[in-house]
Amino acid sequence: MTVNDVVIVGGGVGGISTASALRTGGFLGRITLVDAGEHPYDRPPLSKDYLSGKKGLADIALQPLAWYDAQSIELRSNSTATAILPAAGVVELATGERIKADRVVFATGGEAARLTVPGADLDAVHVLRSADDARRLRQALLPGARILVVGAGLIGAEVASTALRLGAEVTLVDPLASPLSAAIGPVAADWLHSVHAAKGIRTLQTGITGFQQTAGGIETVLGGTLESFDAVVLGVGMKPNTAIAEAAGLQVDRGVVVDAGQTTSNPAVLAVGDPTRRRVNGSVAKRSEHWEAAQLDGARAAATILGSPLPAETVSWFWTDRHGMHVEAIGSLPCATTTVVRGTLGEPPFALFGLKDGQIVGAVAVDDSNVVRAARRMVDRRTPVDPGKLADPTSDLRKLLRG
Amino acid sequence: MSDGILVAKLDDIPEGEGIALDKSVTGTVDNIALLRDEDGSVWALDDTCTHETASLANGWVEDGHVECPMHASKFCLKNGEVQGLPATKNTCPHRVEVRDGDVWLYPNEAP
C-alpha cells in the first residue's frame, strides 16, 4: 500500500526528526505534526539557558516556523491527540477533528515523575519537563532562595548547577552515593558528583519521606533533621505517555514496544523517542530517554515508512552540561572489565575508557568530546585497542581508529 | 575579490582536525575555523557553532563535515550548511587555497 498520509503525534526531537527524515528521504505525501505547545522546542536548554532566562522560547525552537512551510509539514500547534484509530486510519484530536493517517508515528514523550510521598504535589514542589515547568521554576530561583533538588541524575544535577549560578542556596540529595554510576561507572560518577560540593552545593545521600507546607516554607526531613526550603525540584525520572497507545491496543510494557525499525505491534503505527522500548536481537531494551536516541528513532521510523534500509546501528551517546563543563559518554562503562584513564582524573580535559575483551565498551569525557567521538567509532567498528595508547593523552586517537 | 591572507602551513593542521583563526587576523565578523578533512583538503567556516557558543575548530572533521564538539550538529565543509539538529542555521563558508604547502584564506569569498 502506498503511504500518502503520515500523522506524527508529538513535536519533540523524535517527532521533528521523523518529519525531517521523511522529507530528506523523498516522501511526497502529507505530513501532519500534532504538538501540544506553541511550537516544537528543544528540551535540553530547559534546565540551563532557558531556565536561567538567558534564552526565550523562540530561541530554543527545534526549527524556525518557516521550516515547516518550506518542508510542507502541516504543524498543528496547541493541539492534543486523544486517540489513534489505526483500523479507521485516523487520529482524533481533542477538538473532535479527525485527521486521515495511513501511518501514525507516536512521539508523545513523557511527563516528569513525582515521588509517591505525602506533599509531592504541593505548589512549591516543582518538576521540570516542559517550558511551562521551567518558567514556573525560574520564579523560585532567586538569589539567596533555599532550593532543595531531589535526584542528582542529569536533570537534577543541571538544575542544581543553574540554580547555584543564579545565586540560590542549593541542597542536592540522592539516595545513591554515586548517582549516574549505572551510566558512566563509579569512578567518573563519583568525581562528577563531587564537583557539586566543590562549587558550593550541599550534597547529601538520603531519601525523602514527605514534604509539608508551613509558613516558613516547605519542610522535609533530611538525614533525621527537619529542614525548611523555599522551593523543591524533583528530578526523579520520567513517566512515559502511553495512554493513547494502550487505548489503541498497542503492546505496552513500561513503554511502547517497537521493533528495530520502530514499528509497534500494529503495522500502521510506529513509535519514537522517550516512551519507546526497542526489540533488538530478540530482547526488549530499556527506554533510552536521551536526545540523540530520539533523533535516531526518527531516522529509523522514516526509513521504515519509506521502505528504505535502516541507518546503521550506533552505540548510545549522551551529554550533560553543568558547572561550565561539557560531559559526554557513550556505551556502557559498567560493563567494562578494565578502566583506562586518559589524562588526569578530575583535571579536565580528561576521559575514561571502559574495555572488555580488548575492545572499548564505553567511554566518558569531560571537556574532551573528540575522545568520545573517536571511542564511539571504535565501538561501532569493533576496533581492537591498546590500553597503553588510549591512556596516553598525546596519542592520536584518529590514527588508532584507522588501525 | 579581497587579497588572500597567508594563515597557516598545511602541516600545522592535522587531518581530521582544525585550528581557529582570530577575527583580528582575518578581519571577519566571527573567528574562522580552518578545517582539514581526512582526504587532506582544507576548508574554512565561521568558527562559532550557530547553536550555542562552541568553536567548530575543536570539532570532529570527517567525510566532508565538521561535527560540533558540544552537541554534535554537523556542518558541510564546502558550503556551511547545517546537516542536523540541534543547530538550525547554516554557518558561513570562506574560500581557501593551498599553494606550496601554504594555506591562503580569502575571507568572505565564496569557496
Side-chain angles (χ1 to χ4, degrees):
Chain A
M1 182 189 100
T2 313
V3 179
N4 294 312
D5 296 271
V6 176
V7 177
I8 301 167
V9 182
V13 68
I16 292 287
S17 297
T18 306
S20 174
L22 277 171
R23 287 294 183 232
T24 308
F27 181 69
L28 297 173
R30 185 176 172 209
I31 302 176
T32 309
L33 184 74
V34 179
D35 183 53
E38 211 173 296
H39 58 74
Y41 55 83
D42 204 18
R43 290 181 197 275
L46 298 183
S47 56
K48 301 176 276 282
D49 285 351
Y50 186 79
L51 181 58
S52 71
K54 190 175 159 195
K55 285 189 174 176
L57 196 63
D59 300 319
I60 63 168
L62 270 171
Q63 289 289 358
L65 287 178
W67 180 84
Y68 300 91
D69 284 340
Q71 299 288 320
S72 293
I73 293 162
E74 200 179 316
L75 175 62
R76 308 293 290 266
S77 300
N78 301 307
S79 299
T80 314
T82 46
I84 50 177
L85 307 164
V90 295
V91 170
E92 194 170 85
L93 303 187
T95 54
E97 186 191 348
R98 290 179 154 206
I99 307 175
K100 186 173 177 293
D102 306 323
R103 291 286 183 279
V104 177
V105 181
F106 191 86
T108 49
E111 284 163 30
R114 284 183 183 265
L115 295 172
T116 50
V117 299
D121 54 355
L122 288 167
D123 277 350
V125 177
H126 297 254
V127 291
L128 182 60
R129 176 80 193 180
S130 66
D132 284 341
D133 293 338
R135 280 194 296 271
R136 243 185 103 243
L137 175 57
R138 189 191 294 160
Q139 309 301 317
L141 300 183
L142 303 169
R146 301 161 302 165
I147 305 295
L148 172 66
V149 181
V150 180
L154 299 176
I155 303 276
E158 292 180 356
V159 166
S161 163
T162 302
L164 180 76
R165 199 156 47 78
L166 293 172
E169 197 181 286
V170 185
T171 300
L172 176 63
V173 302
D174 196 289
L176 302 175
S178 182
L180 279 192
S181 61
I184 60 172
V187 177
D190 280 350
W191 179 77
L192 209 52
H193 191 57
S194 76
V195 174
H196 294 301
K199 296 283 179 180
I201 290 172
R202 181 167 70 124
T203 54
L204 288 172
Q205 184 187 351
T206 179
I208 296 282
T209 54
F211 303 103
Q212 205 174 359
Q213 181 73 59
T214 68
I218 298 266
E219 286 187 348
T220 187
V221 176
L222 296 181
T225 309
L226 186 67
E227 298 199 30
S228 184
F229 297 91
D230 297 310
V232 175
V233 192
L234 303 176
V236 296
M238 185 202 82
K239 263 192 341 204
N241 283 336
T242 57
I244 63 172
E246 283 169 64
L250 306 181
Q251 187 192 350
V252 175
D253 174 13
R254 291 158 290 166
V256 183
V257 178
V258 296
D259 68 10
Q262 307 298 137
T263 303
T264 67
S265 56
N266 185 317
V269 184
L270 296 88
V272 297
D274 286 354
T276 62
R277 296 181 65 198
R278 281 179 84 212
R279 182 185 283 117
V280 185
N281 302 329
S283 66
V284 180
K286 284 196 301 188
R287 297 192 309 264
S288 75
E289 301 181 20
H290 289 302
W291 190 96
E292 194 207 38
Q295 189 184 37
L296 295 172
D297 284 358
R300 281 190 289 261
T304 298
I305 292 170
L306 292 162
S308 330
L310 294 179
E313 295 286 330
T314 176
V315 68
S316 66
W317 172 74
F318 73 88
W319 79 81
T320 172
D321 296 328
R322 72 244 327 250
H323 300 302
M325 302 183 300
H326 177 69
V327 182
E328 289 193 7
I330 51 135
S332 177
L333 275 152
C335 294
T337 48
T338 315
T339 302
V340 173
V341 181
R342 182 179 174 93
T344 306
L345 180 72
E347 290 177 24
F350 71 92
L352 269 83
F353 300 94
L355 273 58
K356 192 179 174 185
D357 301 329
Q359 293 182 0
I360 298 174
V361 292
V364 57
V366 181
D367 292 338
D368 204 353
S369 45
N370 281 342
V371 171
V372 166
R373 311 290 168 93
R376 180 178 211 180
R377 286 156 175 88
M378 290 177 190
V379 176
D380 288 346
R381 297 173 199 174
R382 300 177 193 280
T383 311
V385 292
D386 172 348
K389 284 191 179 149
L390 290 180
D392 175 4
T394 65
S395 71
D396 183 348
L397 293 179
R398 298 193 70 119
K399 263 190 197 146
L400 300 184
L401 182 59
R402 286 181 207 119
Chain B
M1 296 283 275
S2 62
D3 289 334
I5 310 171
L6 176 61
V7 285
K9 292 276 181 201
L10 185 60
D11 292 345
D12 294 343
I13 322 167
E15 285 176 6
E17 295 183 25
I19 57 174
L21 305 171
D22 198 272
K23 57 191 174 191
S24 65
V25 174
T26 59
T28 44
V29 176
D30 191 10
N31 295 340
I32 285 186
L34 208 54
L35 303 160
R36 191 166 178 198
D37 206 349
E38 293 196 300
D39 64 7
S41 59
V42 182
W43 306 91
L45 300 174
D46 274 4
D47 185 46
T48 310
C49 180
T50 60
H51 174 231
E52 288 185 350
T53 57
S55 160
L56 294 178
N58 294 325
W60 180 272
V61 185
E62 186 177 72
D63 212 11
H65 297 92
V66 57
E67 190 177 294
C68 174
M70 287 285 276
H71 308 122
S73 269
K74 273 189 185 179
F75 297 89
C76 175
L77 293 175
K78 292 182 186 175
N79 57 24
E81 271 181 23
V82 64
Q83 311 281 320
L85 294 174
T88 58
K89 294 188 194 103
N90 299 336
T91 188
C92 182
H94 304 266
R95 191 162 75 89
V96 173
E97 263 186 35
V98 180
R99 293 195 299 265
D100 303 327
D102 292 330
V103 182
W104 293 79
L105 174 75
Y106 295 81
N108 303 316
E109 248 182 64

